[in-house]
Amino acid sequence: MTPHFSLAELTRTDHRTLDNTPDPTALANLHRLAAFLEQVRAALGNRVVVINSAYRSKAVNDAVGSKDTSQHRLGSAADMRVPGMSPDAVVRAVRASGLAYDQLIREFDSWTHISIPNLVTTHPRHMALIIDKQGVRLFPEALA
């Protein structure tokens, strides 16, 4: 798909018995997501970006207990880790980069969820959030 992000990486699942093949719309979104992740990688100083999860078929999404409205279902989101950077540092760096992200979410202080708008014609929301045992709230700098 791009120099640093493959289709296999963006559709990998630990639920190997479940089909995780993207439909044409999700595949088009995954192409846009991979290109966006290249921009994220550059904004982070060309650090390695490890994808934990990106596209999820309905079966995979159900198996991980996520909502049907998850942007992962549409191929518009990825959960990632960046070795040597905390999820907070990733959120701050992406926010400072000016990239057109839809959502940035520090999840359980373990990884960063990043998404692009579901449609090419939709403007990014630039939402920065935290999700953890306390619930969902705005990322602190997003309050300013």
Side-chain angles (χ1 to χ4, degrees), residues 78-96:
D79 294 337
M80 63 184 202
R81 292 177 295 104
V82 179
M85 289 183 79
S86 70
D88 279 349
V90 172
V91 169
R92 286 186 183 102
V94 173
R95 287 189 75 227

Side-chain angles (χ1 to χ4, degrees), residues 11-20 53 56-57 59-65:
T11 57
R12 184 186 61 77
T13 179
D14 291 336
H15 301 279
R16 292 180 189 92
T17 59
L18 301 175
D19 182 22
N20 202 40
S53 175
R56 296 183 199 142
S57 66
V60 171
N61 203 58
D62 289 349
V64 301

Side-chain angles (χ1 to χ4, degrees), residues 58-78:
K58 178 162 177 40
V60 171
N61 203 58
D62 289 349
V64 301
S66 190
K67 296 178 182 178
D68 274 337
T69 57
S70 169
Q71 288 181 290
H72 289 277
R73 291 272 299 112
L74 302 172
S76 300

Side-chain angles (χ1 to χ4, degrees), residues 5 13 21 35 54 80-81 89 100 103 125 141:
F5 301 99
T13 179
T21 305
M80 63 184 202
R81 292 177 295 104
Q103 288 186 318
R125 295 177 288 176
E141 287 86 0

